[in-house]
Amino acid sequence: MKKFIEKIGQYKLLDLLKIITRRLLKTYCYKMHYLALDIDIDDIRQRLSVIDLPVRELQYEDFLHGNPSFFTSSKLEGVKQRLTDGQHKAYGIIADDKLIYSTWIGLEQLSLPVKSNHKLAKNEGLLEDSYCDVSARGKGLHYQMNIFRVNELYKFGKNRVIAIVMSGNQPAFKVQYKTGFHECGTFYCGEIFGIAFSTLNKSKYENR
């Protein structure tokens, strides 16, 4: 019992050190997985044909119907910037006047958890942030919206789709592999004393 208590206390200390390191020293590091999917449009259309969701392209006003504890003022400011930068499209589902699902595609920039200048190739698109309200979880929406987004990217002339997944996010891996993604490799990103860094060498993954 004593060893168990000591172990719990140790984990709390580690968590505290992580918080201090990130907030005060502005230093942290993530391990990321670079996933890719080469679009087989016949397969995607076949899978899309059995999906019946009231998906629509989202405007800024639609996000005002989301959970305010998630869509905070700072989050909404980011939404506004994305919707006007000409590089993103947002899609989602509204039920009973409530935004229950939102998700994004990127057309030009390879977004990371830190600032970066990585660009997508002209034939590439990116699957980005998805949000699912608690009331809509467990219904397979992440997978279905993945198929929807891949099809939308194909309409924009893309034949390859990229997804960046943080190490340890098993639900995300499960959905991406079910969609058809394969892993190209891993890299690290984060900040050291507030200075962003990334070890991503995108060019070596472009033909994998």
mmCIF file of all heavy atoms in Angstrom, residues 138-178:
data_model
loop_
_atom_site.group_PDB
_atom_site.id
_atom_site.type_symbol
_atom_site.label_atom_id
_atom_site.label_comp_id
_atom_site.label_asym_id
_atom_site.label_seq_id
_atom_site.Cartn_x
_atom_site.Cartn_y
_atom_site.Cartn_z
ATOM 1 N N GLY A 138 -19.848 8.455 -29.855
ATOM 2 C CA GLY A 138 -20.191 7.043 -29.924
ATOM 3 C C GLY A 138 -21.058 6.667 -31.104
ATOM 4 O O GLY A 138 -21.590 5.552 -31.167
ATOM 5 N N LYS A 139 -21.204 7.566 -32.071
ATOM 6 C CA LYS A 139 -22.060 7.318 -33.233
ATOM 7 C C LYS A 139 -21.265 7.162 -34.539
ATOM 8 O O LYS A 139 -21.847 7.125 -35.619
ATOM 9 C CB LYS A 139 -23.071 8.448 -33.382
ATOM 10 C CG LYS A 139 -24.008 8.595 -32.181
ATOM 11 C CD LYS A 139 -24.989 9.746 -32.374
ATOM 12 C CE LYS A 139 -25.920 9.865 -31.169
ATOM 13 N NZ LYS A 139 -26.890 10.982 -31.325
ATOM 14 N N GLY A 140 -19.934 7.126 -34.417
ATOM 15 C CA GLY A 140 -19.103 6.943 -35.602
ATOM 16 C C GLY A 140 -18.956 8.173 -36.462
ATOM 17 O O GLY A 140 -18.597 8.072 -37.647
ATOM 18 N N LEU A 141 -19.203 9.356 -35.896
ATOM 19 C CA LEU A 141 -19.157 10.578 -36.703
ATOM 20 C C LEU A 141 -17.751 10.902 -37.194
ATOM 21 O O LEU A 141 -17.588 11.421 -38.303
ATOM 22 C CB LEU A 141 -19.723 11.758 -35.915
ATOM 23 C CG LEU A 141 -21.235 11.737 -35.650
ATOM 24 C CD1 LEU A 141 -21.660 12.987 -34.895
ATOM 25 C CD2 LEU A 141 -22.008 11.627 -36.959
ATOM 26 N N HIS A 142 -16.738 10.612 -36.387
ATOM 27 C CA HIS A 142 -15.366 10.933 -36.802
ATOM 28 C C HIS A 142 -15.012 10.200 -38.096
ATOM 29 O O HIS A 142 -14.466 10.802 -39.036
ATOM 30 C CB HIS A 142 -14.372 10.564 -35.699
ATOM 31 C CG HIS A 142 -14.369 11.508 -34.543
ATOM 32 N ND1 HIS A 142 -14.239 12.872 -34.690
ATOM 33 C CD2 HIS A 142 -14.474 11.288 -33.206
ATOM 34 C CE1 HIS A 142 -14.267 13.454 -33.503
ATOM 35 N NE2 HIS A 142 -14.415 12.510 -32.596
ATOM 36 N N TYR A 143 -15.319 8.924 -38.171
ATOM 37 C CA TYR A 143 -15.022 8.151 -39.379
ATOM 38 C C TYR A 143 -15.847 8.663 -40.563
ATOM 39 O O TYR A 143 -15.317 8.880 -41.658
ATOM 40 C CB TYR A 143 -15.326 6.669 -39.144
ATOM 41 C CG TYR A 143 -15.381 5.870 -40.425
ATOM 42 C CD1 TYR A 143 -14.217 5.575 -41.137
ATOM 43 C CD2 TYR A 143 -16.604 5.434 -40.936
ATOM 44 C CE1 TYR A 143 -14.271 4.859 -42.332
ATOM 45 C CE2 TYR A 143 -16.664 4.724 -42.123
ATOM 46 C CZ TYR A 143 -15.497 4.438 -42.816
ATOM 47 O OH TYR A 143 -15.562 3.751 -44.007
ATOM 48 N N GLN A 144 -17.132 8.864 -40.352
ATOM 49 C CA GLN A 144 -17.997 9.309 -41.445
ATOM 50 C C GLN A 144 -17.589 10.680 -41.968
ATOM 51 O O GLN A 144 -17.583 10.922 -43.184
ATOM 52 C CB GLN A 144 -19.456 9.339 -40.963
ATOM 53 C CG GLN A 144 -20.006 7.960 -40.616
ATOM 54 C CD GLN A 144 -21.426 8.022 -40.090
ATOM 55 O OE1 GLN A 144 -22.373 8.230 -40.844
ATOM 56 N NE2 GLN A 144 -21.580 7.856 -38.783
ATOM 57 N N MET A 145 -17.203 11.580 -41.049
ATOM 58 C CA MET A 145 -16.774 12.906 -41.474
ATOM 59 C C MET A 145 -15.390 12.863 -42.127
ATOM 60 O O MET A 145 -15.064 13.726 -42.943
ATOM 61 C CB MET A 145 -16.792 13.873 -40.293
ATOM 62 C CG MET A 145 -18.198 14.194 -39.792
ATOM 63 S SD MET A 145 -19.242 14.973 -41.064
ATOM 64 C CE MET A 145 -18.433 16.579 -41.233
ATOM 65 N N ASN A 146 -14.581 11.878 -41.770
ATOM 66 C CA ASN A 146 -13.314 11.676 -42.472
ATOM 67 C C ASN A 146 -13.573 11.371 -43.949
ATOM 68 O O ASN A 146 -12.949 11.961 -44.843
ATOM 69 C CB ASN A 146 -12.541 10.516 -41.842
ATOM 70 C CG ASN A 146 -11.396 10.977 -40.971
ATOM 71 O OD1 ASN A 146 -11.352 12.124 -40.541
ATOM 72 N ND2 ASN A 146 -10.467 10.074 -40.706
ATOM 73 N N ILE A 147 -14.478 10.433 -44.211
ATOM 74 C CA ILE A 147 -14.807 10.072 -45.586
ATOM 75 C C ILE A 147 -15.364 11.282 -46.329
ATOM 76 O O ILE A 147 -14.999 11.547 -47.484
ATOM 77 C CB ILE A 147 -15.823 8.914 -45.612
ATOM 78 C CG1 ILE A 147 -15.228 7.668 -44.936
ATOM 79 C CG2 ILE A 147 -16.241 8.600 -47.048
ATOM 80 C CD1 ILE A 147 -13.963 7.154 -45.566
ATOM 81 N N PHE A 148 -16.232 12.035 -45.665
ATOM 82 C CA PHE A 148 -16.797 13.239 -46.278
ATOM 83 C C PHE A 148 -15.696 14.226 -46.647
ATOM 84 O O PHE A 148 -15.689 14.775 -47.766
ATOM 85 C CB PHE A 148 -17.778 13.898 -45.307
ATOM 86 C CG PHE A 148 -18.350 15.196 -45.802
ATOM 87 C CD1 PHE A 148 -19.496 15.219 -46.585
ATOM 88 C CD2 PHE A 148 -17.732 16.413 -45.508
ATOM 89 C CE1 PHE A 148 -20.012 16.418 -47.065
ATOM 90 C CE2 PHE A 148 -18.241 17.610 -45.980
ATOM 91 C CZ PHE A 148 -19.386 17.607 -46.755
ATOM 92 N N ARG A 149 -14.757 14.449 -45.735
ATOM 93 C CA ARG A 149 -13.699 15.433 -45.994
ATOM 94 C C ARG A 149 -12.750 14.986 -47.103
ATOM 95 O O ARG A 149 -12.289 15.801 -47.913
ATOM 96 C CB ARG A 149 -12.913 15.710 -44.710
ATOM 97 C CG ARG A 149 -13.692 16.518 -43.693
ATOM 98 C CD ARG A 149 -12.822 16.904 -42.510
ATOM 99 N NE ARG A 149 -12.442 15.736 -41.711
ATOM 100 C CZ ARG A 149 -11.519 15.766 -40.755
ATOM 101 N NH1 ARG A 149 -10.864 16.893 -40.502
ATOM 102 N NH2 ARG A 149 -11.249 14.682 -40.042
ATOM 103 N N VAL A 150 -12.433 13.694 -47.138
ATOM 104 C CA VAL A 150 -11.568 13.191 -48.216
ATOM 105 C C VAL A 150 -12.231 13.448 -49.572
ATOM 106 O O VAL A 150 -11.576 13.878 -50.532
ATOM 107 C CB VAL A 150 -11.277 11.689 -48.026
ATOM 108 C CG1 VAL A 150 -10.574 11.115 -49.256
ATOM 109 C CG2 VAL A 150 -10.417 11.463 -46.782
ATOM 110 N N ASN A 151 -13.515 13.212 -49.636
ATOM 111 C CA ASN A 151 -14.251 13.466 -50.879
ATOM 112 C C ASN A 151 -14.237 14.951 -51.236
ATOM 113 O O ASN A 151 -14.096 15.317 -52.413
ATOM 114 C CB ASN A 151 -15.690 12.975 -50.731
ATOM 115 C CG ASN A 151 -16.454 13.012 -52.041
ATOM 116 O OD1 ASN A 151 -16.077 12.371 -53.011
ATOM 117 N ND2 ASN A 151 -17.530 13.793 -52.081
ATOM 118 N N GLU A 152 -14.384 15.816 -50.238
ATOM 119 C CA GLU A 152 -14.337 17.257 -50.500
ATOM 120 C C GLU A 152 -12.966 17.678 -51.007
ATOM 121 O O GLU A 152 -12.858 18.491 -51.934
ATOM 122 C CB GLU A 152 -14.685 18.034 -49.218
ATOM 123 C CG GLU A 152 -16.134 17.932 -48.785
ATOM 124 C CD GLU A 152 -17.098 18.444 -49.847
ATOM 125 O OE1 GLU A 152 -16.954 19.602 -50.274
ATOM 126 O OE2 GLU A 152 -17.974 17.658 -50.271
ATOM 127 N N LEU A 153 -11.912 17.127 -50.423
ATOM 128 C CA LEU A 153 -10.566 17.474 -50.869
ATOM 129 C C LEU A 153 -10.341 17.036 -52.315
ATOM 130 O O LEU A 153 -9.662 17.731 -53.079
ATOM 131 C CB LEU A 153 -9.523 16.836 -49.943
ATOM 132 C CG LEU A 153 -9.350 17.538 -48.590
ATOM 133 C CD1 LEU A 153 -8.514 16.689 -47.643
ATOM 134 C CD2 LEU A 153 -8.711 18.913 -48.778
ATOM 135 N N TYR A 154 -10.903 15.909 -52.681
ATOM 136 C CA TYR A 154 -10.794 15.456 -54.078
ATOM 137 C C TYR A 154 -11.450 16.469 -55.013
ATOM 138 O O TYR A 154 -10.942 16.735 -56.109
ATOM 139 C CB TYR A 154 -11.450 14.088 -54.229
ATOM 140 C CG TYR A 154 -11.257 13.478 -55.601
ATOM 141 C CD1 TYR A 154 -10.086 12.802 -55.916
ATOM 142 C CD2 TYR A 154 -12.250 13.588 -56.571
ATOM 143 C CE1 TYR A 154 -9.906 12.244 -57.185
ATOM 144 C CE2 TYR A 154 -12.077 13.039 -57.835
ATOM 145 C CZ TYR A 154 -10.897 12.375 -58.136
ATOM 146 O OH TYR A 154 -10.720 11.840 -59.388
ATOM 147 N N LYS A 155 -12.560 17.055 -54.580
ATOM 148 C CA LYS A 155 -13.242 18.079 -55.387
ATOM 149 C C LYS A 155 -12.353 19.306 -55.585
ATOM 150 O O LYS A 155 -12.487 20.027 -56.575
ATOM 151 C CB LYS A 155 -14.545 18.507 -54.707
ATOM 152 C CG LYS A 155 -15.614 17.429 -54.658
ATOM 153 C CD LYS A 155 -16.847 17.949 -53.912
ATOM 154 C CE LYS A 155 -17.912 16.903 -53.749
ATOM 155 N NZ LYS A 155 -19.090 17.408 -52.976
ATOM 156 N N PHE A 156 -11.451 19.555 -54.620
ATOM 157 C CA PHE A 156 -10.523 20.680 -54.731
ATOM 158 C C PHE A 156 -9.270 20.307 -55.524
ATOM 159 O O PHE A 156 -8.302 21.062 -55.545
ATOM 160 C CB PHE A 156 -10.126 21.175 -53.334
ATOM 161 C CG PHE A 156 -11.152 22.055 -52.678
ATOM 162 C CD1 PHE A 156 -11.993 21.553 -51.688
ATOM 163 C CD2 PHE A 156 -11.297 23.384 -53.046
ATOM 164 C CE1 PHE A 156 -12.943 22.362 -51.080
ATOM 165 C CE2 PHE A 156 -12.234 24.197 -52.446
ATOM 166 C CZ PHE A 156 -13.069 23.684 -51.459
ATOM 167 N N GLY A 157 -9.285 19.143 -56.154
ATOM 168 C CA GLY A 157 -8.158 18.743 -56.988
ATOM 169 C C GLY A 157 -7.047 18.041 -56.239
ATOM 170 O O GLY A 157 -5.941 17.873 -56.777
ATOM 171 N N LYS A 158 -7.313 17.576 -55.034
ATOM 172 C CA LYS A 158 -6.302 16.885 -54.239
ATOM 173 C C LYS A 158 -6.432 15.370 -54.427
ATOM 174 O O LYS A 158 -7.544 14.844 -54.485
ATOM 175 C CB LYS A 158 -6.467 17.218 -52.749
ATOM 176 C CG LYS A 158 -6.623 18.701 -52.434
ATOM 177 C CD LYS A 158 -5.394 19.516 -52.808
ATOM 178 C CE LYS A 158 -5.548 20.976 -52.385
ATOM 179 N NZ LYS A 158 -4.344 21.789 -52.704
ATOM 180 N N ASN A 159 -5.299 14.694 -54.524
ATOM 181 C CA ASN A 159 -5.349 13.237 -54.609
ATOM 182 C C ASN A 159 -4.578 12.553 -53.487
ATOM 183 O O ASN A 159 -4.423 11.329 -53.463
ATOM 184 C CB ASN A 159 -4.840 12.740 -55.975
ATOM 185 C CG ASN A 159 -3.411 13.152 -56.259
ATOM 186 O OD1 ASN A 159 -2.617 13.415 -55.347
ATOM 187 N ND2 ASN A 159 -3.059 13.238 -57.537
ATOM 188 N N ARG A 160 -4.078 13.357 -52.561
ATOM 189 C CA ARG A 160 -3.350 12.829 -51.396
ATOM 190 C C ARG A 160 -3.757 13.638 -50.167
ATOM 191 O O ARG A 160 -3.811 14.878 -50.225
ATOM 192 C CB ARG A 160 -1.842 12.908 -51.616
ATOM 193 C CG ARG A 160 -0.996 12.270 -50.508
ATOM 194 C CD ARG A 160 0.452 12.272 -50.951
ATOM 195 N NE ARG A 160 1.392 11.871 -49.909
ATOM 196 C CZ ARG A 160 1.744 10.611 -49.645
ATOM 197 N NH1 ARG A 160 1.226 9.622 -50.357
ATOM 198 N NH2 ARG A 160 2.617 10.323 -48.696
ATOM 199 N N VAL A 161 -4.025 12.938 -49.081
ATOM 200 C CA VAL A 161 -4.491 13.593 -47.866
ATOM 201 C C VAL A 161 -3.519 13.313 -46.723
ATOM 202 O O VAL A 161 -3.059 12.177 -46.554
ATOM 203 C CB VAL A 161 -5.901 13.104 -47.468
ATOM 204 C CG1 VAL A 161 -6.428 13.887 -46.263
ATOM 205 C CG2 VAL A 161 -6.857 13.237 -48.651
ATOM 206 N N ILE A 162 -3.233 14.349 -45.942
ATOM 207 C CA ILE A 162 -2.317 14.248 -44.813
ATOM 208 C C ILE A 162 -3.094 14.411 -43.512
ATOM 209 O O ILE A 162 -4.032 15.208 -43.421
ATOM 210 C CB ILE A 162 -1.223 15.337 -44.879
ATOM 211 C CG1 ILE A 162 -0.543 15.333 -46.253
ATOM 212 C CG2 ILE A 162 -0.211 15.175 -43.757
ATOM 213 C CD1 ILE A 162 0.121 14.026 -46.619
ATOM 214 N N ALA A 163 -2.691 13.647 -42.503
ATOM 215 C CA ALA A 163 -3.231 13.818 -41.154
ATOM 216 C C ALA A 163 -2.074 13.716 -40.169
ATOM 217 O O ALA A 163 -1.223 12.833 -40.290
ATOM 218 C CB ALA A 163 -4.284 12.750 -40.847
ATOM 219 N N ILE A 164 -2.037 14.629 -39.213
ATOM 220 C CA ILE A 164 -0.998 14.639 -38.182
ATOM 221 C C ILE A 164 -1.647 14.229 -36.864
ATOM 222 O O ILE A 164 -2.602 14.863 -36.412
ATOM 223 C CB ILE A 164 -0.351 16.027 -38.041
ATOM 224 C CG1 ILE A 164 0.181 16.528 -39.397
ATOM 225 C CG2 ILE A 164 0.761 15.994 -36.999
ATOM 226 C CD1 ILE A 164 1.289 15.682 -39.984
ATOM 227 N N VAL A 165 -1.132 13.163 -36.263
ATOM 228 C CA VAL A 165 -1.731 12.636 -35.030
ATOM 229 C C VAL A 165 -0.694 12.606 -33.912
ATOM 230 O O VAL A 165 0.434 12.137 -34.118
ATOM 231 C CB VAL A 165 -2.299 11.219 -35.248
ATOM 232 C CG1 VAL A 165 -2.896 10.669 -33.956
ATOM 233 C CG2 VAL A 165 -3.348 11.227 -36.358
ATOM 234 N N MET A 166 -1.087 13.094 -32.751
ATOM 235 C CA MET A 166 -0.193 13.106 -31.600
ATOM 236 C C MET A 166 -0.044 11.709 -31.021
ATOM 237 O O MET A 166 -1.015 10.949 -30.919
ATOM 238 C CB MET A 166 -0.717 14.064 -30.524
ATOM 239 C CG MET A 166 0.253 14.291 -29.371
ATOM 240 S SD MET A 166 -0.399 15.484 -28.164
ATOM 241 C CE MET A 166 -0.475 16.975 -29.192
ATOM 242 N N SER A 167 1.160 11.353 -30.655
ATOM 243 C CA SER A 167 1.436 10.043 -30.082
ATOM 244 C C SER A 167 0.567 9.811 -28.850
ATOM 245 O O SER A 167 0.413 10.693 -28.006
ATOM 246 C CB SER A 167 2.920 9.943 -29.704
ATOM 247 O OG SER A 167 3.242 8.638 -29.287
ATOM 248 N N GLY A 168 -0.016 8.623 -28.760
ATOM 249 C CA GLY A 168 -0.863 8.285 -27.619
ATOM 250 C C GLY A 168 -2.344 8.485 -27.864
ATOM 251 O O GLY A 168 -3.173 8.024 -27.072
ATOM 252 N N ASN A 169 -2.701 9.167 -28.959
ATOM 253 C CA ASN A 169 -4.113 9.424 -29.265
ATOM 254 C C ASN A 169 -4.682 8.213 -30.015
ATOM 255 O O ASN A 169 -4.898 8.251 -31.224
ATOM 256 C CB ASN A 169 -4.259 10.696 -30.087
ATOM 257 C CG ASN A 169 -5.708 11.136 -30.250
ATOM 258 O OD1 ASN A 169 -6.639 10.382 -29.955
ATOM 259 N ND2 ASN A 169 -5.922 12.356 -30.715
ATOM 260 N N GLN A 170 -4.943 7.150 -29.293
ATOM 261 C CA GLN A 170 -5.372 5.905 -29.904
ATOM 262 C C GLN A 170 -6.697 6.008 -30.659
ATOM 263 O O GLN A 170 -6.843 5.413 -31.737
ATOM 264 C CB GLN A 170 -5.436 4.799 -28.846
ATOM 265 C CG GLN A 170 -4.082 4.427 -28.264
ATOM 266 C CD GLN A 170 -3.049 4.091 -29.326
ATOM 267 O OE1 GLN A 170 -3.336 3.373 -30.291
ATOM 268 N NE2 GLN A 170 -1.839 4.623 -29.178
ATOM 269 N N PRO A 171 -7.711 6.734 -30.140
ATOM 270 C CA PRO A 171 -8.952 6.867 -30.909
ATOM 271 C C PRO A 171 -8.732 7.487 -32.286
ATOM 272 O O PRO A 171 -9.335 7.060 -33.272
ATOM 273 C CB PRO A 171 -9.820 7.768 -30.020
ATOM 274 C CG PRO A 171 -9.329 7.507 -28.632
ATOM 275 C CD PRO A 171 -7.842 7.329 -28.794
ATOM 276 N N ALA A 172 -7.832 8.489 -32.359
ATOM 277 C CA ALA A 172 -7.544 9.131 -33.645
ATOM 278 C C ALA A 172 -6.852 8.159 -34.596
ATOM 279 O O ALA A 172 -7.183 8.093 -35.789
ATOM 280 C CB ALA A 172 -6.685 10.372 -33.438
ATOM 281 N N PHE A 173 -5.884 7.376 -34.084
ATOM 282 C CA PHE A 173 -5.213 6.388 -34.922
ATOM 283 C C PHE A 173 -6.222 5.386 -35.481
ATOM 284 O O PHE A 173 -6.178 5.030 -36.658
ATOM 285 C CB PHE A 173 -4.144 5.639 -34.119
ATOM 286 C CG PHE A 173 -2.886 6.409 -33.912
ATOM 287 C CD1 PHE A 173 -2.486 6.786 -32.646
ATOM 288 C CD2 PHE A 173 -2.082 6.760 -34.985
ATOM 289 C CE1 PHE A 173 -1.316 7.499 -32.445
ATOM 290 C CE2 PHE A 173 -0.899 7.469 -34.808
ATOM 291 C CZ PHE A 173 -0.524 7.841 -33.521
ATOM 292 N N LYS A 174 -7.116 4.924 -34.625
ATOM 293 C CA LYS A 174 -8.109 3.927 -35.044
ATOM 294 C C LYS A 174 -8.964 4.437 -36.202
ATOM 295 O O LYS A 174 -9.197 3.736 -37.188
ATOM 296 C CB LYS A 174 -8.995 3.567 -33.849
ATOM 297 C CG LYS A 174 -10.008 2.477 -34.137
ATOM 298 C CD LYS A 174 -10.816 2.133 -32.893
ATOM 299 C CE LYS A 174 -11.845 1.054 -33.190
ATOM 300 N NZ LYS A 174 -12.641 0.703 -31.978
ATOM 301 N N VAL A 175 -9.415 5.691 -36.085
ATOM 302 C CA VAL A 175 -10.252 6.281 -37.136
ATOM 303 C C VAL A 175 -9.457 6.478 -38.422
ATOM 304 O O VAL A 175 -9.943 6.177 -39.522
ATOM 305 C CB VAL A 175 -10.842 7.624 -36.666
ATOM 306 C CG1 VAL A 175 -11.504 8.357 -37.820
ATOM 307 C CG2 VAL A 175 -11.858 7.390 -35.550
ATOM 308 N N GLN A 176 -8.238 6.970 -38.294
ATOM 309 C CA GLN A 176 -7.443 7.235 -39.501
ATOM 310 C C GLN A 176 -7.089 5.951 -40.231
ATOM 311 O O GLN A 176 -7.139 5.897 -41.475
ATOM 312 C CB GLN A 176 -6.168 8.016 -39.149
ATOM 313 C CG GLN A 176 -6.396 9.328 -38.408
ATOM 314 C CD GLN A 176 -7.231 10.338 -39.167
ATOM 315 O OE1 GLN A 176 -7.873 10.033 -40.163
ATOM 316 N NE2 GLN A 176 -7.264 11.563 -38.669
ATOM 317 N N TYR A 177 -6.747 4.904 -39.509
ATOM 318 C CA TYR A 177 -6.420 3.638 -40.165
ATOM 319 C C TYR A 177 -7.658 3.034 -40.813
ATOM 320 O O TYR A 177 -7.584 2.441 -41.900
ATOM 321 C CB TYR A 177 -5.813 2.660 -39.163
ATOM 322 C CG TYR A 177 -4.433 3.055 -38.679
ATOM 323 C CD1 TYR A 177 -4.019 2.759 -37.382
ATOM 324 C CD2 TYR A 177 -3.549 3.716 -39.524
ATOM 325 C CE1 TYR A 177 -2.761 3.126 -36.933
ATOM 326 C CE2 TYR A 177 -2.288 4.088 -39.089
ATOM 327 C CZ TYR A 177 -1.893 3.786 -37.788
ATOM 328 O OH TYR A 177 -0.643 4.152 -37.358
ATOM 329 N N LYS A 178 -8.814 3.176 -40.162
ATOM 330 C CA LYS A 178 -10.066 2.680 -40.739
ATOM 331 C C LYS A 178 -10.392 3.422 -42.034
ATOM 332 O O LYS A 178 -10.920 2.846 -42.995
ATOM 333 C CB LYS A 178 -11.218 2.840 -39.734
ATOM 334 C CG LYS A 178 -12.542 2.278 -40.216
ATOM 335 C CD LYS A 178 -13.638 2.436 -39.159
ATOM 336 C CE LYS A 178 -14.965 1.882 -39.650
ATOM 337 N NZ LYS A 178 -16.038 2.043 -38.624
#
